[in-house]
Every structure is written in structure tokens, then in C-alpha cells.
Amino acid sequence: MDFSDMKRYVDDRPQDGVFRVHRDVFSDQALFELEQRHIFERTWCFLGLESQIARTRDFLTNWIGRTPILVTRNDDGAIVGLINVCRHKAVLLRHEEAGNAGVHICPYHGWSFDANGHNVHVKNTRTACYPAAFDAESHDLLRLPRTASYRGFIFGSLSAEVPELGDFLGDMRFFIDLIADQGPQGIELVPGRAVYTYNANWKLQLDNGVDPYHLTSTHASFLDVQAVRRKGEGNVESRSFDWRKRDEFPAGAMNFRNGHSAVWMRQPEPEKRPIAPAMDEIRARVGEQRAEWMLNARNLQIFPNMQIADAISPMLRTFRPLAVDRTEMRAWCLAPIGEPRALRAWRLRQYEDFFNPGGMATPDDTVIYEDAQRGMAASPLDFLQGYSRGLGAAVSGGGEAGAALGLDPATSVEGRYDMFNEVAFHGPYREWARLMEAGLSGRRAWA
Ligand code: FES
Ligand SMILES: [Fe+2]
């Protein structure tokens, strides 16, 4: 197949009021392979939080596309990004998602590496008759070409050519700050996480994370349960929101450069947010405007592999494409470090209700993804029509909200919440097409 023209896949013509994505983007095996190479292996990917590796010799593992990654904190306290693969025969070095170890011992032949990835032991060297050429080679773990963090969020890149992390995130940093600043000592992942897979393409989750349009239809049963609880029945501890109050409230979306986007909404019930009792402290620390935006609902897409949803209590999810039609998700609850017990319980009740695979919303979404994947196989279908809501009101730049916040997104839209805009999908697919085009034509992806 000829992949040279990405317009065949992302039909992006704002001047004509057109933004469409072709079903092949979700279902074509060859495109999936190209995505691994030209997207996941050529941009920054989220790896974890610094608070997960707070002590020296702590480590966490993750993946960039198909590449296993080991992130450690060395004895100097520095964060080190490594390829989690033994140099001897490519066996995965660490299986655990996190832990603490001064030495990482390969389970196959016992080669060992320290927290810097330096090879500290090759088993049975005395009797090995290794040639001089072998001794001259480094046996250290391969370093991730780039590792950096922003406000405690660690990212890595398999390409050395990426821009500085701060430039890559751009004005998306404002929205990350609104998460990182929720506690005076920063934020952490609540211990425990959910891992689950679904049989559909990773971009079904990419879209869904910034899709306000589906809530009232896909999650109707969740809304019904919440309505019952608000009458004082069932689990009243979960401080259920009245989602229908949101319809007329101001809302919008912003698309930032490099594929990041955000949807936001003014919060009609800020008193139900688990940070509400801490707002005096937060206002004093971050100022009135940022504090108000912390109470607003915000769902973030950090392209390509991380989302933060902060519309109920905040959750962080990462996705790992396993195959064109199979994706692994990991999801955590985010919370301020040192949060009082009662507020942590409030947060967890809201989180588990909606987000966990055993909650009342995530299973709805994953079933829909799998149905969509089946639908993508319908050969007469070409372009999907799910990218146009709000496009008629979209503008270049940041609009009123962007001006008020001093942000400069590439495009944005504002209106009532029940516009249920689909504009926040545009940034990610523009970046998808840009990176694919650059990779396929052999051009550098970054200036
Ligand atoms: S594969 Fe690691 S020691 Fe042999
Ligand atoms: Fe959903």
C-alpha cells in the first residue's frame, strides 16, 4: 500500500470545515507498524512519576511502544532511563512494575547491572575464554537517549532529536501544573493501580479521554445511580455530581502543538471536589485564578501515551499498543502527598465509582471500543464523522480562556458544555499525521 499521503488518513481542511479520520487508522496492520516506528519511537512518552521512585535505588518499569524501559534513581539521587533488556541475549531484566534494588540480576544467565545500568558482573568470566574483543565491548544496559521530568512527571524518548521536554509540552504545562500543585508537597499515585487490556486500537482510548459527547449515552446507568444517591440512597459517601447541571456551563477545548490537547468545563458543583476543603491553602499558594481552574473539570491528552482526567477526582492513565486491535491500559488515582485520611477516602470513593475496571464507567467505554473495532472492519466505510462537533466555532489561538490564562494553543473552541465539542481530537491527529509523514519521507520530525 502507498502510505506517502497522510491526507488519505487524516483529512484536515479547517478552511472547508472538514476534519475526518479514516477507519484504516484504527485497523490497518501496516499503519500500526509504522506508528510504532515513527510516533512512539520518535517522540517523548510518559514513563512514571518521580514520587514512584522517591528513594535511591528505587526503580519502575514501563514501555515506549514495544521497547521495555527501566527507570531508576541512582545513588546520587539522579533519575536514569535505561532499556530494560539484558545485553547478553535480550531478556527482559525487570518484570516488576516498581521496586528497590541495588543490583538488577538477569534471570537467564545472571549478568548484573547497577542503578546506573553499568554491568557489574558477568557470571563465570574466569573460565569463559572470552576474546579480547568481547572484553573491549561495553556490557552496560543501553541508555534511553533522552530522559527528563517536568513537575515530577518523568518522560523518555528513544530519539535523541526531540526538543527539550519543556518545549515539547509547551503551554500544556499550565494544565500539568494544575495537577502537580494540588498539594503543598506535590502529588503521588495512590498505591495500587488497575491494568487491563481491551481488544481494540489504542486510539479509541486516545479519543475517548477527551470526548465529553459520550457521557450521557454511554454512561447513562452511571448517571442514574448517581441520581439515586443524591436522593440519599445507596453510597452517599461518594458525593455524586449532578452531571445534567453542566449542560449550560461554559466549556471548551484547546489544541496545543506536538499533539497535546485539553477539554475543560466550569464546575457547577465545586464543593464536591475532594480538594474543596483545602481551597484556602491552595488559593494562598497558587493564586485565585489557578485555584479556580483546579476546580474546573479538565481532561488532558499528553500525546501520545498519557491522559489525565480531572473531572471527578483525578486519574492518570497510560496506554500501550500491543497490536493494531489490542491495547493495555494502566490507570492510577492521583492525590496530593500527605492528604488527610478523610479527604483521601472521599477521593477514592469517587475514583473507584467511575474509573476502575470494576467501576461503573470504564467497562462501558471498553465494550464500546471493542464494538468500534469490529465496526472499523466494515469495508464500505471510509472516513469517520466523529471529529466535527464544535469545528464551526473553533478559532486559531486560545480564545477568551486562552487570553485570560496567557496560553497560546494552536486552536481552541469555547461554548456551552452541551456543545460536547470534538475539537480536542484535532491536535493529536494532526501530530499523528505530521510524525508519520516525517518518518515516511525520511525527514527529521523536529526542526
Ligand atoms: S540473557 Fe541476560 S544473562 Fe543471559
Ligand atoms: Fe467514558
Side-chain angles (χ1 to χ4, degrees):
M1 207 187 286
D2 175 19
F3 291 113
S4 59
D5 184 8
M6 281 296 132
K7 291 185 182 55
R8 200 176 156 263
Y9 301 105
V10 178
D11 184 14
D12 178 11
R13 289 176 285 134
Q15 67 285 3
D16 300 329
V18 174
F19 196 103
R20 306 186 300 173
V21 177
H22 196 281
R23 73 177 176 98
D24 285 355
V25 169
F26 301 87
S27 60
D28 187 292
Q29 179 65 44
L31 275 181
F32 177 81
E33 293 295 321
L34 294 169
E35 281 178 339
Q36 294 294 313
R37 212 164 349 126
H38 301 310
I39 294 178
F40 285 89
E41 295 172 16
R42 292 188 78 184
T43 190
W44 287 101
C45 288
F46 173 74
L47 294 173
L49 289 194
E50 285 187 20
S51 55
Q52 287 177 279
I53 48 170
R55 300 166 304 162
T56 57
R57 302 183 176 187
D58 277 354
F59 68 87
L60 64 87
T61 62
N62 208 328
W63 300 77
I64 295 182
R66 288 179 288 213
T67 304
I69 304 294
L70 173 68
V71 183
T72 67
R73 193 179 287 273
N74 70 14
D75 289 339
D76 301 326
I79 292 170
V80 182
L82 301 161
I83 308 296
N84 185 22
V85 170
C86 179
R87 295 299 300 279
H88 185 224
K89 296 265 193 166
V91 164
L92 211 60
L93 193 60
R94 278 284 172 198
H95 287 80
E96 308 97 307
E97 286 174 35
N100 183 279
V103 66
H104 304 283
I105 304 171
C106 178
Y108 201 4
H109 310 92
W111 285 24
S112 308
F113 308 87
D114 67 15
N116 283 310
H118 294 145
N119 179 285
V120 291
H121 185 63
V122 172
K123 196 177 68 172
N124 303 130
T125 38
R126 249 181 344 106
T127 52
C129 296
Y130 276 125
F134 176 86
D135 290 334
E137 254 187 312
S138 165
H139 312 303
D140 297 346
L141 297 181
L142 296 174
R143 283 242 172 177
L144 196 49
R146 299 286 291 277
T147 308
S149 18
Y150 177 73
R151 300 298 314 274
F153 291 79
I154 308 168
F155 292 76
S157 171
L158 288 166
S159 164
E161 285 184 7
V162 287
E164 293 302 317
L165 179 62
D167 295 335
F168 170 75
L169 295 170
D171 278 353
M172 199 65 191
R173 286 176 292 186
F174 167 78
F175 287 100
I176 296 175
D177 291 348
L178 293 182
I179 298 293
D181 285 334
Q182 289 192 14
Q185 303 159 59
I187 47 136
E188 63 184 355
L189 301 176
V190 174
R193 86 290 176 259
V195 183
Y196 56 98
T197 53
Y198 63 79
N199 293 323
N201 189 266
W202 62 280
K203 292 185 289 308
L204 269 309
Q205 177 63 61
L206 183 88
D207 284 10
N208 180 272
V210 287
D211 176 9
Y213 191 31
H214 77 288
L215 183 91
T216 49
S217 40
T218 307
H219 303 305
S221 59
F222 170 75
L223 302 186
D224 289 346
V225 170
Q226 299 244 305
V228 169
R229 288 178 179 173
R230 285 196 306 278
K231 285 192 257 161
E233 299 163 30
N235 179 7
V236 289
E237 292 303 308
S238 72
R239 302 186 198 238
S240 304
F241 291 95
D242 185 350
W243 296 78
R244 294 199 165 88
K245 275 191 182 163
R246 300 182 175 206
D247 285 356
E248 293 175 25
F249 268 62
M254 296 184 191
N255 286 300
F256 297 95
R257 288 156 193 88
N258 307 327
H260 318 306
S261 66
V263 288
W264 59 270
M265 181 206 64
R266 283 240 173 264
Q267 174 57 265
E269 301 171 289
E271 70 285 357
K272 291 181 180 172
R273 302 279 261 157
I275 52 168
M279 284 315 287
D280 288 346
E281 184 278 324
I282 291 173
R283 276 194 191 93
R285 186 160 43 80
V286 306
E288 183 68 34
Q289 187 187 47
R290 282 185 178 239
E292 286 312 306
W293 270 82
M294 261 184 219
L295 291 172
N296 289 344
R298 305 160 326 278
N299 280 14
L300 316 180
Q301 167 66 54
I302 316 280
F303 190 82
N305 74 328
M306 192 259 269
Q307 294 179 331
I308 293 176
D310 191 6
I312 306 172
S313 60
M315 73 96 69
L316 183 151
R317 60 164 86 85
T318 62
F319 28 96
R320 175 158 79 101
L322 301 175
V324 67
D325 57 357
R326 193 160 171 80
T327 304
E328 180 190 84
M329 301 294 310
R330 289 196 211 180
W332 289 266
C333 179
L334 281 166
I337 294 169
E339 184 176 48
R341 244 180 118 73
L343 297 186
R344 184 63 63 97
W346 169 350
R347 171 182 306 274
L348 283 171
R349 296 296 84 79
Q350 288 184 340
Y351 174 85
E352 68 199 4
D353 261 6
F354 195 86
F355 290 120
N356 267 346
M360 288 183 280
T362 291
D364 299 333
D365 289 321
T366 45
V367 166
I368 292 279
Y369 305 160
E370 294 187 352
D371 275 354
Q373 194 69 28
R374 290 182 190 102
M376 301 293 182
S379 60
L381 197 67
D382 50 18
F383 283 100
L384 309 179
Q385 299 178 353
Y387 300 87
S388 293
R389 292 183 68 91
L391 182 51
V395 295
S396 295
E400 269 181 45
L405 296 169
L407 302 180
D408 183 30
T411 63
S412 63
V413 69
E414 282 166 40
R416 282 167 49 131
Y417 176 69
D418 59 6
M419 174 196 290
F420 299 127
N421 80 80
E422 294 170 335
V423 169
F425 305 141
H426 299 176
Y429 284 98
R430 280 188 185 126
E431 182 67 357
W432 183 92
R434 187 186 79 79
L435 288 174
M436 291 286 269
E437 252 164 27
L440 287 162
S441 61
R443 277 186 285 114
R444 293 170 64 128
W446 309 96

mmCIF file with all atom_site columns, all heavy atoms in Angstrom, residues 86 88-91 106 108-111, ligand 1:
data_model
loop_
_atom_site.group_PDB
_atom_site.id
_atom_site.type_symbol
_atom_site.label_atom_id
_atom_site.label_alt_id
_atom_site.label_comp_id
_atom_site.label_asym_id
_atom_site.label_entity_id
_atom_site.label_seq_id
_atom_site.pdbx_PDB_ins_code
_atom_site.Cartn_x
_atom_site.Cartn_y
_atom_site.Cartn_z
_atom_site.occupancy
_atom_site.B_iso_or_equiv
_atom_site.pdbx_formal_charge
_atom_site.auth_seq_id
_atom_site.auth_comp_id
_atom_site.auth_asym_id
_atom_site.auth_atom_id
_atom_site.pdbx_PDB_model_num
ATOM   1  N  N   . CYS A 1 86  ? 18.526 -7.140  28.837 1.00 0.00 ? 86  CYS A N   1
ATOM   2  C  CA  . CYS A 1 86  ? 19.882 -7.617  29.096 1.00 0.00 ? 86  CYS A CA  1
ATOM   3  C  C   . CYS A 1 86  ? 20.705 -7.600  27.804 1.00 0.00 ? 86  CYS A C   1
ATOM   4  O  O   . CYS A 1 86  ? 20.215 -7.986  26.735 1.00 0.00 ? 86  CYS A O   1
ATOM   5  C  CB  . CYS A 1 86  ? 19.815 -9.028  29.676 1.00 0.00 ? 86  CYS A CB  1
ATOM   6  S  SG  . CYS A 1 86  ? 21.439 -9.707  30.013 1.00 0.00 ? 86  CYS A SG  1
ATOM   7  N  N   . HIS A 1 88  ? 23.105 -9.493  27.096 1.00 0.00 ? 88  HIS A N   1
ATOM   8  C  CA  . HIS A 1 88  ? 23.588 -10.822 26.715 1.00 0.00 ? 88  HIS A CA  1
ATOM   9  C  C   . HIS A 1 88  ? 22.708 -11.445 25.642 1.00 0.00 ? 88  HIS A C   1
ATOM   10 O  O   . HIS A 1 88  ? 23.161 -11.706 24.530 1.00 0.00 ? 88  HIS A O   1
ATOM   11 C  CB  . HIS A 1 88  ? 23.664 -11.710 27.966 1.00 0.00 ? 88  HIS A CB  1
ATOM   12 C  CG  . HIS A 1 88  ? 24.255 -13.064 27.724 1.00 0.00 ? 88  HIS A CG  1
ATOM   13 N  ND1 . HIS A 1 88  ? 23.704 -14.206 28.243 1.00 0.00 ? 88  HIS A ND1 1
ATOM   14 C  CD2 . HIS A 1 88  ? 25.347 -13.462 27.025 1.00 0.00 ? 88  HIS A CD2 1
ATOM   15 C  CE1 . HIS A 1 88  ? 24.444 -15.249 27.881 1.00 0.00 ? 88  HIS A CE1 1
ATOM   16 N  NE2 . HIS A 1 88  ? 25.444 -14.819 27.137 1.00 0.00 ? 88  HIS A NE2 1
ATOM   17 N  N   . LYS A 1 89  ? 21.421 -11.647 25.952 1.00 0.00 ? 89  LYS A N   1
ATOM   18 C  CA  . LYS A 1 89  ? 20.524 -12.290 24.982 1.00 0.00 ? 89  LYS A CA  1
ATOM   19 C  C   . LYS A 1 89  ? 19.152 -11.621 24.938 1.00 0.00 ? 89  LYS A C   1
ATOM   20 O  O   . LYS A 1 89  ? 18.155 -12.287 24.663 1.00 0.00 ? 89  LYS A O   1
ATOM   21 C  CB  . LYS A 1 89  ? 20.341 -13.764 25.343 1.00 0.00 ? 89  LYS A CB  1
ATOM   22 C  CG  . LYS A 1 89  ? 21.611 -14.602 25.259 1.00 0.00 ? 89  LYS A CG  1
ATOM   23 C  CD  . LYS A 1 89  ? 21.737 -15.292 23.924 1.00 0.00 ? 89  LYS A CD  1
ATOM   24 C  CE  . LYS A 1 89  ? 22.824 -16.343 24.001 1.00 0.00 ? 89  LYS A CE  1
ATOM   25 N  NZ  . LYS A 1 89  ? 22.790 -17.249 22.881 1.00 0.00 ? 89  LYS A NZ  1
ATOM   26 N  N   . ALA A 1 90  ? 19.130 -10.343 25.326 1.00 0.00 ? 90  ALA A N   1
ATOM   27 C  CA  . ALA A 1 90  ? 17.917 -9.532  25.165 1.00 0.00 ? 90  ALA A CA  1
ATOM   28 C  C   . ALA A 1 90  ? 16.761 -9.925  26.081 1.00 0.00 ? 90  ALA A C   1
ATOM   29 O  O   . ALA A 1 90  ? 15.623 -9.543  25.828 1.00 0.00 ? 90  ALA A O   1
ATOM   30 C  CB  . ALA A 1 90  ? 17.444 -9.535  23.709 1.00 0.00 ? 90  ALA A CB  1
ATOM   31 N  N   . VAL A 1 91  ? 17.055 -10.637 27.149 1.00 0.00 ? 91  VAL A N   1
ATOM   32 C  CA  . VAL A 1 91  ? 15.955 -10.999 28.059 1.00 0.00 ? 91  VAL A CA  1
ATOM   33 C  C   . VAL A 1 91  ? 15.536 -9.772  28.868 1.00 0.00 ? 91  VAL A C   1
ATOM   34 O  O   . VAL A 1 91  ? 16.369 -8.950  29.243 1.00 0.00 ? 91  VAL A O   1
ATOM   35 C  CB  . VAL A 1 91  ? 16.412 -12.163 28.979 1.00 0.00 ? 91  VAL A CB  1
ATOM   36 C  CG1 . VAL A 1 91  ? 15.493 -12.327 30.179 1.00 0.00 ? 91  VAL A CG1 1
ATOM   37 C  CG2 . VAL A 1 91  ? 16.454 -13.451 28.171 1.00 0.00 ? 91  VAL A CG2 1
ATOM   38 N  N   . CYS A 1 106 ? 19.957 -10.447 35.816 1.00 0.00 ? 106 CYS A N   1
ATOM   39 C  CA  . CYS A 1 106 ? 19.182 -11.051 34.733 1.00 0.00 ? 106 CYS A CA  1
ATOM   40 C  C   . CYS A 1 106 ? 18.807 -12.495 35.104 1.00 0.00 ? 106 CYS A C   1
ATOM   41 O  O   . CYS A 1 106 ? 19.656 -13.265 35.553 1.00 0.00 ? 106 CYS A O   1
ATOM   42 C  CB  . CYS A 1 106 ? 19.988 -11.042 33.442 1.00 0.00 ? 106 CYS A CB  1
ATOM   43 S  SG  . CYS A 1 106 ? 19.107 -11.829 32.085 1.00 0.00 ? 106 CYS A SG  1
ATOM   44 N  N   . TYR A 1 108 ? 18.263 -14.999 33.275 1.00 0.00 ? 108 TYR A N   1
ATOM   45 C  CA  . TYR A 1 108 ? 18.681 -16.069 32.359 1.00 0.00 ? 108 TYR A CA  1
ATOM   46 C  C   . TYR A 1 108 ? 20.078 -16.581 32.730 1.00 0.00 ? 108 TYR A C   1
ATOM   47 O  O   . TYR A 1 108 ? 20.229 -17.696 33.220 1.00 0.00 ? 108 TYR A O   1
ATOM   48 C  CB  . TYR A 1 108 ? 18.624 -15.540 30.915 1.00 0.00 ? 108 TYR A CB  1
ATOM   49 C  CG  . TYR A 1 108 ? 18.543 -16.599 29.830 1.00 0.00 ? 108 TYR A CG  1
ATOM   50 C  CD1 . TYR A 1 108 ? 18.439 -17.965 30.114 1.00 0.00 ? 108 TYR A CD1 1
ATOM   51 C  CD2 . TYR A 1 108 ? 18.555 -16.220 28.481 1.00 0.00 ? 108 TYR A CD2 1
ATOM   52 C  CE1 . TYR A 1 108 ? 18.360 -18.913 29.107 1.00 0.00 ? 108 TYR A CE1 1
ATOM   53 C  CE2 . TYR A 1 108 ? 18.468 -17.156 27.465 1.00 0.00 ? 108 TYR A CE2 1
ATOM   54 C  CZ  . TYR A 1 108 ? 18.381 -18.511 27.777 1.00 0.00 ? 108 TYR A CZ  1
ATOM   55 O  OH  . TYR A 1 108 ? 18.303 -19.438 26.772 1.00 0.00 ? 108 TYR A OH  1
ATOM   56 N  N   . HIS A 1 109 ? 21.129 -15.752 32.558 1.00 0.00 ? 109 HIS A N   1
ATOM   57 C  CA  . HIS A 1 109 ? 22.486 -16.227 32.870 1.00 0.00 ? 109 HIS A CA  1
ATOM   58 C  C   . HIS A 1 109 ? 23.148 -15.417 33.981 1.00 0.00 ? 109 HIS A C   1
ATOM   59 O  O   . HIS A 1 109 ? 24.336 -15.541 34.208 1.00 0.00 ? 109 HIS A O   1
ATOM   60 C  CB  . HIS A 1 109 ? 23.374 -16.187 31.625 1.00 0.00 ? 109 HIS A CB  1
ATOM   61 C  CG  . HIS A 1 109 ? 22.776 -16.841 30.422 1.00 0.00 ? 109 HIS A CG  1
ATOM   62 N  ND1 . HIS A 1 109 ? 22.039 -16.147 29.495 1.00 0.00 ? 109 HIS A ND1 1
ATOM   63 C  CD2 . HIS A 1 109 ? 22.761 -18.138 30.014 1.00 0.00 ? 109 HIS A CD2 1
ATOM   64 C  CE1 . HIS A 1 109 ? 21.608 -16.965 28.549 1.00 0.00 ? 109 HIS A CE1 1
ATOM   65 N  NE2 . HIS A 1 109 ? 22.033 -18.186 28.835 1.00 0.00 ? 109 HIS A NE2 1
ATOM   66 N  N   . GLY A 1 110 ? 22.372 -14.555 34.607 1.00 0.00 ? 110 GLY A N   1
ATOM   67 C  CA  . GLY A 1 110 ? 22.857 -13.907 35.820 1.00 0.00 ? 110 GLY A CA  1
ATOM   68 C  C   . GLY A 1 110 ? 23.731 -12.679 35.632 1.00 0.00 ? 110 GLY A C   1
ATOM   69 O  O   . GLY A 1 110 ? 24.368 -12.238 36.591 1.00 0.00 ? 110 GLY A O   1
ATOM   70 N  N   . TRP A 1 111 ? 23.819 -12.107 34.465 1.00 0.00 ? 111 TRP A N   1
ATOM   71 C  CA  . TRP A 1 111 ? 24.550 -10.841 34.326 1.00 0.00 ? 111 TRP A CA  1
ATOM   72 C  C   . TRP A 1 111 ? 23.854 -9.805  35.227 1.00 0.00 ? 111 TRP A C   1
ATOM   73 O  O   . TRP A 1 111 ? 22.622 -9.804  35.343 1.00 0.00 ? 111 TRP A O   1
ATOM   74 C  CB  . TRP A 1 111 ? 24.531 -10.338 32.875 1.00 0.00 ? 111 TRP A CB  1
ATOM   75 C  CG  . TRP A 1 111 ? 25.447 -11.077 31.943 1.00 0.00 ? 111 TRP A CG  1
ATOM   76 C  CD1 . TRP A 1 111 ? 25.927 -12.343 32.080 1.00 0.00 ? 111 TRP A CD1 1
ATOM   77 C  CD2 . TRP A 1 111 ? 25.980 -10.577 30.714 1.00 0.00 ? 111 TRP A CD2 1
ATOM   78 N  NE1 . TRP A 1 111 ? 26.722 -12.682 31.024 1.00 0.00 ? 111 TRP A NE1 1
ATOM   79 C  CE2 . TRP A 1 111 ? 26.783 -11.611 30.160 1.00 0.00 ? 111 TRP A CE2 1
ATOM   80 C  CE3 . TRP A 1 111 ? 25.873 -9.366  30.023 1.00 0.00 ? 111 TRP A CE3 1
ATOM   81 C  CZ2 . TRP A 1 111 ? 27.456 -11.465 28.948 1.00 0.00 ? 111 TRP A CZ2 1
ATOM   82 C  CZ3 . TRP A 1 111 ? 26.538 -9.221  28.808 1.00 0.00 ? 111 TRP A CZ3 1
ATOM   83 C  CH2 . TRP A 1 111 ? 27.326 -10.259 28.287 1.00 0.00 ? 111 TRP A CH2 1
HETATM 84 S  S1  . FES B 2 .   ? 20.204 -13.050 28.761 1.00 0.00 ? 1   FES B S1  1
HETATM 85 FE FE1 . FES B 2 .   ? 20.778 -11.946 30.476 1.00 0.00 ? 1   FES B FE1 1
HETATM 86 S  S2  . FES B 2 .   ? 22.423 -13.047 31.280 1.00 0.00 ? 1   FES B S2  1
HETATM 87 FE FE2 . FES B 2 .   ? 21.921 -14.141 29.510 1.00 0.00 ? 1   FES B FE2 1
#
